[in-house]
Amino acid sequence: MTVRQAGSDSSPITVFAARSIVTMDRGRPSAQAVAVKDGRVLSVGTLASMQPWLQRQPYVIDDTFRDQVLLPGFIDPHTHFGMSGAFLGLHYVGPIDSPGPRGINPGLESRAAVLAHLRKLHESMPDRQQPLFAWGFDPAVHGGQLHRDELDAISRERPLWVLSYAPHFVYTNSPMLQRLGATADMTLHGLGRDPDGRLNGRFVEVSAIQFALTPFREEVMRPDRNEDALRMLGDAAKRAGVTTTADMAFGFTDLEKEWREHAKVVRSPSFPLRMVLVPLESMIHKQHGADSVQFVASLASRSDDKLRFHGIKFINDGSYPAMSLRLKFPGYLDGGNGLRGDVPWEELAQRMYPYWERGIQIHAHANGDEAIDAVLDALAALQERKPRFDHRYTIEHYCLSTPDQARRLKALGGAASVNNYFVHYRSLLHSQQGFGPDRAEATARLGSLEHEGVVFALHSDFSLVVVPMHPLTAVWTAVNRIAADGETVVAPGERIGVERALRAVTIDAAYVLGLDSELGSIEVGKAADFTVLAEDPLEVSPERIRDIDVWGTVLSGVKQPA
Amino acid sequence: MASDARALDAWQMLLGIEQTARRTPVRPAAAEIVPFTLVSGFLGSGKTTLLQRMLERPAGRRIAVLVNDFGAVNIDAALIRSRGPTVFELSNGCACCSLAAGLAQTLADLLAGPRAFDAIVMEASGIAEPLGILHVALSNPGLRLSTVVTVVDASDVQNQLEDARTRATLEQQIRAADLVILNKLDLVDAGELARARASVAGIAADVRMVSAAHGAVPTELLLDVALTSETGELLANIPVAHDCPYRSHVLETPAVLDQRLLCSLAEALPATILRAKGFVRLAHDPAHRYLFEVAGRRWSLQRQPASATYPHGLVVIGTPSDEDLSTLRVALHACGSAQSATHIQGNDSSR
C-alpha cells in the first residue's frame, strides 16, 4: 500500500488535458481532463467542472496529450511473462511476420536481408564478447544453408548462433565454434564439414543440434536473464498500452526465486507495469500438500499495489494452437482428442474446495468444450457444498464453447477470460486441421457471453501461443471477427460492440482479477493508469481499431512514452 | 498457415528447452544416463499395440513409458495401464498450454525420482513433429537418444502421402526416423508392401524399415541393446526372438580404429543392419573407450570413463546376409589404425 502522509494537501495536482477521455464509467462516460493526485484520480471532467478542487489546491496542467485520447490503462489479465524468457534472447530473422516482444517482427525475405539484419544487431550490441542468438532462418526461402564464412564476415569476435525456422539446423561462426569446443577431429553425427574436412559451422539433426544447443542453455541459465526478460516484456506491454497484467502460472519452476526476480524488477520505479501473480495450484500442491491453502493465503502479506498475489490457477486441458484441448463429440477431425490436466476431473471440485471455502478466487483453464463442462461441473459442486455469490470463479481461455455453457456459467455466477485472438489468427486453419469448421469458426463466443450477461475479459496468453500482446487487436478481433484471410467473417453472430470490447480490456479485465474497485476505469479514487492513443476506438471505423497508434501509458500518474 | 504451425513448433521447442534448462543444471554420471526412445506415427498406425507388446516382452529392460492420454485411446491402453507403476501418462497439467513444457517437467520429475526404470519410451502424439520433441527431451542431460521409431500403416501410407493434409507431417516423421515400422502387414499383399516400402524410401532414401503385423517388433530393435549377458560374455548369434528373422552377430574390431574411416563406414552400412553397438578405441584418443552406436542411419560415438571394463567387438542386429557380414568384417578391418597398440593399458577383458 502506498504510505500516505497525514494532511497531504501539499502534494501537487496534475491535470492532464486531452482531446478526449473515454472513462469506461457508464454514468460519466466522456471527459476532456483528468486531475491526478498521489497517483490516483482526483476528478474527471473538464477544467471547468473540476474547479471545486482546483480552486482549493495548487495544480499544474499537463497538455502533453492535448491531441491524444485517454482510456483507462489496458489490462491483459492472462499472460506468462515468467515463461517467456526463452524467446526474448533470440532475435527473429524469419521469412514471415511473427509476433514478438517488440510487437510484430517483420519478415526478412532474402538472404541479404537476413545477413544485413544480423550485422545491424551485431553493431548495436556494445559488448563484442556477448553472443548473439537468432532464429527463423529458412534455407528454402533464404537460398540454402548459411555458412560459417558468411557469419564470420559479420563478426570474427562475437559468437553468432542461428537456429533455423523449422529447428533442424544450427548455424555458427568461428568464435561460436570455439566456444562450443567443436574441432575438426570431432566425431559427431551431423557436424557439418566442407569437402576438405573443415568445419562449416552447420549442425544438422538430433545429435549435432543437441551439442550446439549448449550455449543457448547456458544463456537461459545466466543469472540476470530472467530479470532482463521481465524488463523487456514490461517495455513490450507499455508499447501495447498495457498497464496491468496477471501472470497466470506463477511459481511454475521455483516460486521463491521467481518472487525475488519479480520483486526486484517490478518494484523498480522505471518498470512500467503493475503485475498480478496467480500461483499455479499443481506446483503449490506438490510443494505444500495439505498446507497449500495456508501458504497461498500467506502470500497476500507480500503484496503491494504494484506487485501482488491474487487467486489460484488450475489447468484442465491443453492449448488451442497446439491442438491439445479437450472436445466433446466427435472430437478432432482425425478422430483423436487432446490432453487433460494433472488433476482428474472427478477430483477437481475436491481439490478446489479449500480455496473456495477460504475465499481465494479460482481461475480454471479450459480451452475445449469438454474441459469447460468439467470446470462448470466443478463450480456446480462447489456451489452445492457452499453457496457463494461474488466468488468470481473465472474460466480461462474459453476458446471453444457452446451457448448453453454461457447460460450455465451465468447461473453459477462465474466469469470468463477469453483468448479471442485466435479468431483472427487461427480459426480458418483449424477449420481444416484439428477442430473442424463448426467449432473453429465459433471460436471465442463473446456474443453468447454478452447475451447471457456473463462478465468477460480478453487476454493474449503472451507469449505461450503465437499471438501478439496487443489489446487493440483483441478489441478489433472481437468487433470484426475477420479471419486471417482478411475477408471471411467467422460466426458473425458472435461479434460484440466496440464499447463492450473495450470494457473487456479495461474494467471487466479488472473485475476478473478482483481489482475493479481500484483499476479499469477513470473515476475518482482509482489508480491514475491510462492508455494514450492517437485516436478514439469508439470513433474510428471498426476495421482500423487495431491500427490506432499507441503513444504509451500513464502509470500512477507518471507518463511513460512508448 | 503452415508457417504459423512451424512458428508454434519453434516456440514450443524453445520453451521446452528453457524449462528443462531451469530444472536440470547438473550433468549426471554416465552410468545414470537413461536411453530415450521416441515412437511416433499417426493415430491408427498401431503405436499403442507396439508399446503394449514392448511392455509384454521388455528384453530385460525396465521400461518407463510415457503415453499421451489413457482416456483417448482404445481398450488396449487399459492393458498398458495395468502393467503397473512404470507407465506414465504424459499430462498437460503443469504445462500452461505448452506440451513442451509439460514434457520437460515430466522428464525432470521422472529422472529426479526413484529409478524403477532403465529406459524411457515416449509415444509422440499423432501430429507431433518428432524433432521438436527430441530437442526438448534431449536437452535434459540425464537422457541420451536410443531410437526414433516411426510406425506407419502399410495399407494406408501411400494415401497418407498423397493427401495434402497429412503429407507434411508424415514426411517429417519418416525423415526423423531411425527405424520405420511398416505395420499392418496382415492387411497387405506382397505387391502392396513393396509399394509401401517404395513410398517410404522415396521420402528418406536409406531409412531402415521393418515390416510387422500387430506391432510385433522385437523390443531389442526399439531400445538400447544390452551388450553382455550376466556372466560378462558378449552376446553372439543369439536369435533376437525365436519367431522373427532378426539376428544379432558379433564382429571383431581392430584394437584401435581410425575415427574418420569408422564414421564413413557407419554411414555406409547395408540397409539390412538395423542397429549396432560396441566399445572401440580411436586413434586420436587411445587411452579411452568410445561407445559406438548405430540406429538406422544415425551413429554416435561417446567417450566412456577410463576405469571401467569393456567387452571387445561390435554387435550388429538385423537381417544381414552372409555376404553382408563378410563385407562388413573386411570393412571393419580396414578401419584399423596404424597406430601401435603398445600404449593401451589393461582392463581389456578379452585380450
Side-chain angles (χ1 to χ4, degrees):
Chain A
M1 296 301 152
T2 323
V3 174
R4 302 257 294 284
Q5 298 176 10
S8 53
D9 284 340
S10 56
S11 58
I13 297 170
T14 303
V15 180
F16 292 102
R19 174 157 69 83
S20 159
I21 298 180
V22 178
T23 66
M24 290 290 126
D25 170 353
R26 280 209 182 85
R28 307 177 77 241
S30 55
Q32 264 97 49
V34 52
V36 174
K37 183 182 168 78
D38 294 336
R40 297 167 82 164
V41 173
L42 178 71
S43 182
V44 191
T46 61
L47 277 172
S49 73
M50 49 181 72
Q51 283 304 309
W53 293 104
L54 301 184
Q55 284 161 356
R56 285 174 164 79
Q57 303 186 44
Y59 66 93
V60 294
I61 296 182
D62 185 326
D63 72 347
T64 308
F65 306 134
R66 65 186 171 282
D67 296 323
Q68 313 268 17
V69 178
L70 299 187
L71 270 74
F74 291 152
I75 298 172
D76 192 327
H78 187 136
T79 55
H80 294 283
F81 284 12
M83 294 176 77
S84 298
F87 315 116
L88 298 180
L90 285 167
H91 296 278
Y92 181 70
V93 294
I96 57 162
D97 293 356
S98 184
R102 293 169 193 82
I104 305 286
N105 295 309
L108 298 170
E109 288 173 9
S110 69
R111 190 187 204 82
V114 171
L115 293 171
H117 188 67
L118 287 171
R119 177 178 295 282
K120 192 167 138 206
L121 289 168
H122 156 68
E123 283 162 5
S124 75
M125 291 162 67
D127 174 4
R128 304 203 138 228
Q129 301 301 316
Q130 190 189 346
L132 196 166
F133 295 92
W135 78 280
F137 184 86
D138 188 339
V141 174
H142 293 139
Q145 313 287 358
L146 278 173
H147 192 280
R148 169 187 186 176
D149 294 340
E150 288 175 286
L151 295 177
D152 277 348
I154 293 174
S155 176
R156 296 201 67 104
E157 209 182 344
R158 182 193 305 286
L160 300 180
W161 185 99
V162 181
L163 177 69
S164 65
Y165 197 95
H168 299 172
F169 307 98
V170 173
Y171 309 103
T172 58
N173 65 351
S174 300
M176 184 57 87
L177 282 171
Q178 194 174 9
R179 186 171 151 146
L180 281 167
T183 54
D185 65 355
M186 269 183 80
T187 50
L188 179 65
H189 177 69
L191 182 63
R193 294 175 195 276
D194 286 338
D196 63 358
R198 177 178 174 254
L199 297 183
N200 62 16
R202 295 173 187 152
F203 295 81
V204 182
E205 302 301 341
V206 186
S207 312
I209 293 184
Q210 276 310 301
F211 176 80
L213 277 171
T214 306
F216 179 69
R217 291 187 67 234
E218 286 171 0
E219 166 64 16
V220 163
M221 296 302 293
R222 182 167 60 83
D224 297 332
R225 193 180 192 283
N226 295 338
E227 293 168 19
D228 290 345
L230 258 182
R231 285 186 199 101
M232 282 184 65
L233 287 161
D235 278 345
K238 181 178 63 171
R239 281 192 300 274
V242 176
T243 51
T244 298
T245 191
D247 187 317
M248 276 282 169
F250 195 74
F252 183 71
T253 319
D254 178 342
L255 189 139
E256 295 302 339
K257 179 165 187 284
E258 291 168 41
W259 168 252
R260 283 191 299 274
E261 288 158 358
H262 280 71
K264 180 171 166 197
V265 175
V266 176
R267 287 185 170 150
S268 150
S270 60
F271 190 77
L273 192 61
R274 288 182 209 283
M275 287 197 72
V276 177
L277 308 176
V278 185
L280 188 60
E281 191 273 348
S282 54
M283 294 308 281
I284 301 283
H285 184 81
K286 222 178 184 177
Q287 273 149 28
H288 298 275
D291 296 330
S292 291
V293 180
Q294 194 55 39
F295 175 75
V296 172
S298 77
L299 293 171
S301 65
R302 308 189 198 190
S303 300
D304 69 12
D305 62 357
K306 194 158 188 210
L307 179 66
R308 71 190 89 194
F309 281 96
H310 154 89
I312 190 75
K313 169 81 176 300
F314 290 81
I315 297 185
N316 303 291
D317 72 344
S319 97
Y320 184 103
M323 298 194 286
S324 56
L325 49 76
R326 290 290 308 184
L327 291 176
K328 297 195 280 191
F329 175 89
Y332 286 45
L333 285 166
D334 68 356
N337 210 329
L339 303 179
R340 296 184 186 82
D342 264 355
V343 179
W345 290 348
E346 331 58 272
E347 296 170 23
L348 192 56
Q350 176 94 346
R351 219 19 203 261
M352 288 176 165
Y353 186 71
Y355 296 96
W356 175 264
E357 195 188 21
R358 190 78 179 241
I360 293 173
Q361 186 177 336
I362 293 169
H363 294 265
H365 159 135
N367 261 305
D369 52 21
E370 198 194 48
I372 291 173
D373 265 358
V375 305
L376 284 169
D377 290 344
L379 176 55
L382 292 171
Q383 287 283 35
E384 187 76 20
R385 195 162 162 188
K386 174 177 169 176
R388 289 175 63 201
F389 295 95
D390 194 17
H391 52 80
R392 308 205 183 179
Y393 182 105
T394 300
I395 302 184
E396 299 285 339
H397 300 319
Y398 201 80
C399 283
L400 298 178
S401 65
T402 54
D404 60 284
Q405 288 175 327
R407 189 168 274 191
R408 200 175 168 210
L409 183 57
K410 170 67 177 177
L412 293 167
S417 179
V418 184
N419 188 337
N420 76 319
Y421 289 80
F422 297 131
V423 173
H424 171 65
Y425 286 98
R426 299 186 82 88
S427 61
L428 287 184
L429 169 65
H430 290 299
S431 294
Q432 308 285 326
Q433 276 188 49
F435 315 139
D438 299 68
R439 287 190 166 107
E441 289 172 17
T443 297
R445 285 186 180 268
L446 302 180
S448 296
L449 288 170
E450 181 182 38
H451 185 78
E452 297 303 333
V454 176
V455 179
F456 61 87
L458 302 176
H459 67 249
S460 66
D461 208 19
F462 198 76
S463 61
L464 288 193
V465 297
V466 191
V467 302
M469 172 177 51
H470 195 249
L472 285 173
T473 297
V475 168
W476 172 87
T477 306
V479 167
N480 294 292
R481 290 189 70 93
I482 293 175
D485 64 1
E487 294 179 354
T488 311
V489 178
V490 290
E494 294 290 350
R495 287 178 297 194
I496 60 174
V498 180
E499 204 258 348
R500 184 65 195 257
L502 285 173
R503 292 179 68 82
V505 298
T506 54
I507 186 64
D508 292 343
Y511 175 91
V512 304
L513 295 178
L515 293 172
D516 52 318
S517 58
E518 279 181 54
L519 304 173
S521 61
I522 305 180
E523 302 174 40
V524 55
K526 289 199 169 178
D529 291 354
F530 313 133
T531 297
V532 185
L533 302 178
E535 297 168 274
D536 185 341
L538 290 164
E539 289 185 353
V540 302
S541 68
E543 309 84 61
R544 289 202 45 250
I545 290 172
R546 65 175 173 168
D547 302 321
I548 294 173
D549 208 53
V550 178
W551 177 94
T553 61
V554 174
L555 195 76
S556 287
V558 177
K559 288 177 291 190
Q560 305 181 133
Chain B
M1 302 295 186
S3 40
D4 247 357
R6 286 197 297 163
L8 184 68
D9 286 344
W11 286 42
Q12 293 258 351
M13 184 193 82
L14 295 172
L15 179 63
I17 289 169
E18 192 205 19
Q19 288 301 315
T20 304
R22 289 201 201 191
R23 292 170 204 282
T24 56
V26 179
R27 187 171 189 93
E32 293 178 356
I33 296 178
V34 177
F36 178 84
T37 293
L38 183 68
V39 179
S40 71
F42 284 162
L43 192 71
S45 61
K47 277 183 301 184
T48 309
T49 315
L50 183 97
L51 290 169
Q52 192 185 315
R53 282 189 68 100
M54 188 189 64
L55 287 168
E56 288 166 5
R57 299 182 175 98
R61 303 308 284 247
R62 294 166 296 142
I63 303 168
V65 176
L66 302 180
V67 298
N68 264 314
D69 181 14
F70 288 137
V73 297
N74 58 25
I75 290 174
D76 287 349
L79 293 174
I80 289 187
R81 192 206 297 258
S82 73
R83 296 298 152 193
T86 56
V87 183
F88 302 87
E89 186 173 0
L90 181 65
S91 81
N92 196 45
C94 292
C96 300
C97 317
S98 165
L99 284 170
L103 173 60
Q105 174 141 339
T106 304
L107 288 171
D109 288 347
L110 258 184
L111 291 169
R115 292 288 178 93
F117 55 88
D118 56 20
I120 297 178
V121 176
M122 176 177 163
E123 178 206 6
S125 87
I127 46 84
E129 176 175 8
L131 275 180
I133 296 175
L134 286 172
H135 292 325
V136 171
L138 298 177
S139 65
N140 188 319
L143 295 176
R144 64 182 177 81
L145 182 59
S146 164
T147 320
V148 183
V149 180
T150 294
V151 184
V152 157
D153 181 343
S155 68
D156 201 32
V157 61
Q158 279 169 279
N159 293 336
Q160 290 168 352
L161 284 172
E162 274 160 30
D163 186 338
R165 290 163 304 178
T166 46
R167 180 182 182 92
T169 305
L170 185 52
E171 281 185 1
Q172 281 171 357
Q173 292 178 351
I174 290 171
R175 288 205 187 99
D178 296 325
L179 194 61
V180 169
I181 311 292
L182 291 166
N183 201 23
K184 308 208 176 175
L185 193 58
D186 49 312
L187 298 182
V188 296
D189 61 32
E192 286 162 336
L193 180 62
R195 282 192 292 281
R197 282 186 163 265
S199 298
V200 171
I203 306 300
D206 47 5
V207 72
R208 303 304 194 256
M209 288 183 253
V210 163
S211 49
H214 310 293
V217 177
T219 300
E220 287 85 345
L221 291 182
L222 307 173
L223 294 186
D224 203 11
V225 178
L227 268 196
T228 57
S229 67
E230 279 146 16
T231 55
E233 294 298 314
L234 203 58
L235 295 172
N237 290 327
I238 295 171
V240 170
H242 76 274
D243 59 347
C244 79
Y246 308 104
R247 296 288 182 268
S248 63
H249 305 271
V250 180
L251 305 176
E252 292 242 321
T253 50
V256 180
L257 291 116
D258 178 291
Q259 67 269 19
R260 300 266 180 89
L261 294 174
L262 179 61
C263 297
S264 301
L265 171 63
E267 295 190 1
L269 287 172
T272 49
I273 302 293
L274 303 175
R275 301 192 75 98
K277 185 169 176 176
F279 294 94
V280 298
R281 286 186 198 278
L282 302 175
H284 76 290
D285 183 17
H288 289 93
R289 293 281 190 177
Y290 281 70
L291 173 60
F292 175 61
E293 283 190 285
V294 178
R297 297 162 299 166
R298 184 174 53 80
W299 56 267
S300 67
L301 276 167
Q302 290 174 357
R303 198 166 92 164
Q304 301 296 295
S307 57
T309 306
Y310 299 103
H312 204 71
L314 182 71
V315 176
V316 300
I317 294 179
T319 54
S321 62
D322 290 337
E323 199 194 324
D324 286 337
L325 287 171
S326 64
T327 307
L328 194 46
R329 284 188 185 100
V330 168
L332 267 173
H333 185 73
C335 289
S337 167
Q339 190 141 358
S340 164
T342 54
H343 57 271
I344 296 168
Q345 299 302 318
N347 284 353
D348 192 341
S349 65
S350 58
R351 294 225 165 155

